Amino acid sequence: MPKVAYHLDLPEAATSCVVFASPHSGRDYPWSFLRGTVLDEQSIRSSEDAFVDRLFDCAPQFGAPLLRAGAPRAFIDLNRSVDELDPALIEGVRRGGHNPRVSSGLGVVPRVVANGRAIYRGKLPLAEAERRISRYWHPYHQQLRGLLERARAQHGEAILIDCHSMPHEAVEGVARSSGRRPEIVIGDRFGASAAPEIVARVEAAFAGAGLAVVRNTPFAGAYVTQAYGRPSRGQHAIQVEIDRSIYMDEARIRPNAQFQAFRRLLRGVVAEIAAIGHRDADQPLAAE
């Protein structure tokens, strides 16, 4: 089993209301798991948001925590609901209403990785799925909820930036008026998960760095933005997808020659986002 459910990097002083999280960058693939798959060690990583945690690891320097998954996405998907169990993979699970993610093999315990490649030879016992949910899904989300609650208590609001990466081919058909392919896709579930002024500031931070940005196409946000985005209560959730080809060799799953330069570029973006709702650690909240 993967060693830990998550890694948490905290700032010296929580001066930002922003929480950064990377639910798909876990890369602890234990031999017991790899032995049970039909994929090699390279193929099993194809749905991983490789190196995204490293791209955002400067967040604590700007007063914001960074929560990173410990277990890989192919083992447990932290951006799915616990009830998104796949009856084609998990023994004893009844078929429910149509769920396109589950039907395609991308439930909370995935059946496939990128390009629909099967992970397992057969089915998994329900007890195994429940074990993964108990040991990895629940601790990660308990920590995430706690971080957002603390941010709201300290700053009056909380902003979750859910950090992801996307295959370059995912945006090949997405058109922009400038003619450039999108490099960043911001998802706010078409306005449901975050206040428009906050989404605009996040978008401006990426665009100001020279990156081509679109909203909600082809990714509008999944479980995390749906579950944690409560703008009417002062809690906002925004999904950020980054084109992997900018910073990594997708075929070999390695940082490319532009990785460090892009990481430096994102440092400025992270600083701008963390500054939303920023206050000094000893500055009290204004009286309502």
Side-chain angles (χ1 to χ4, degrees):
M1 304 287 278
K3 298 179 185 66
V4 298
Y6 61 84
H7 306 274
L8 178 60
D9 304 318
L10 292 171
E12 289 186 7
T15 56
S16 174
C17 70
V18 179
V19 174
F20 291 85
S22 178
H24 288 163
S25 60
R27 48 185 173 271
D28 182 4
Y29 294 86
W31 173 243
S32 58
F33 172 56
L34 293 175
R35 187 177 55 193
T37 78
V38 295
L39 300 172
D40 57 42
E41 294 184 31
Q42 185 81 358
S43 300
I44 196 72
R45 297 187 64 191
S46 60
S47 59
E48 175 190 318
D49 284 345
F51 317 118
V52 164
D53 53 342
R54 290 175 58 187
L55 293 176
F56 289 90
D57 63 4
C58 63
Q61 298 174 37
F62 302 107
L66 171 64
L67 180 64
R68 304 177 282 124
R73 181 185 187 183
F75 183 81
I76 183 81
D77 193 334
L78 301 172
N79 197 21
R80 298 290 182 266
S81 169
V82 289
D83 60 7
E84 290 185 276
L85 291 169
D86 185 353
L89 174 66
I90 311 299
E91 293 175 347
V93 173
R94 294 182 178 181
R95 295 189 180 276
H98 178 66
N99 181 313
R101 293 192 292 259
V102 173
S103 298
S104 61
L106 298 174
V108 64
V109 178
R111 173 165 39 95
V112 302
V113 293
N115 299 317
R117 289 170 292 181
I119 298 173
Y120 306 97
R121 294 181 179 86
K123 286 194 170 188
L124 295 179
L126 178 58
E128 172 61 19
E130 292 173 338
R131 185 180 303 115
R132 295 183 191 186
I133 290 169
S134 174
R135 293 186 181 182
Y136 301 96
W137 194 98
H138 281 298
Y140 178 91
H141 284 277
Q142 182 178 12
Q143 184 61 248
L144 181 56
R145 283 192 298 272
L147 290 169
L148 293 171
E149 288 169 2
R150 284 193 289 276
R152 286 178 62 196
Q154 292 174 346
H155 303 282
E157 66 178 351
I159 302 168
L160 171 61
I161 303 298
D162 199 45
C163 308
H164 296 263
S165 66
M166 57 188 174
H168 179 68
E169 64 184 19
V171 289
E172 285 185 342
V174 180
R176 293 180 77 246
S177 57
S178 65
R180 287 177 62 189
R181 285 194 184 116
E183 295 164 308
I184 306 293
V185 178
I186 291 176
D188 65 352
R189 298 188 65 82
F190 299 95
S193 68
E197 61 272 17
I198 291 176
V199 181
R201 290 188 64 178
V202 172
E203 180 176 2
F206 285 102
L211 296 163
V213 188
V214 297
R215 293 193 197 181
N216 295 311
T217 302
F219 304 107
Y223 171 77
V224 166
T225 47
Q226 182 178 13
Y228 294 98
R230 297 289 183 269
S232 63
R233 303 177 190 173
Q235 183 167 293
H236 313 270
I238 299 170
Q239 179 176 282
V240 172
E241 296 272 1
I242 303 174
D243 182 349
R244 293 173 185 167
S245 68
I246 299 173
Y247 64 89
M248 66 178 276
D249 180 327
E250 293 186 78
R252 296 189 295 173
I253 315 181
R254 295 179 183 175
N256 63 20
Q258 289 75 47
F259 181 83
Q260 291 300 341
F262 184 65
R263 191 179 179 208
R264 287 192 295 271
L265 182 73
L266 278 191
R267 180 181 176 84
V269 175
V270 171
E272 281 198 43
I273 294 173
I276 302 173
H278 190 283
R279 69 179 183 90
D280 294 331
D282 58 354
Q283 178 183 338
L285 289 173
E288 294 183 357

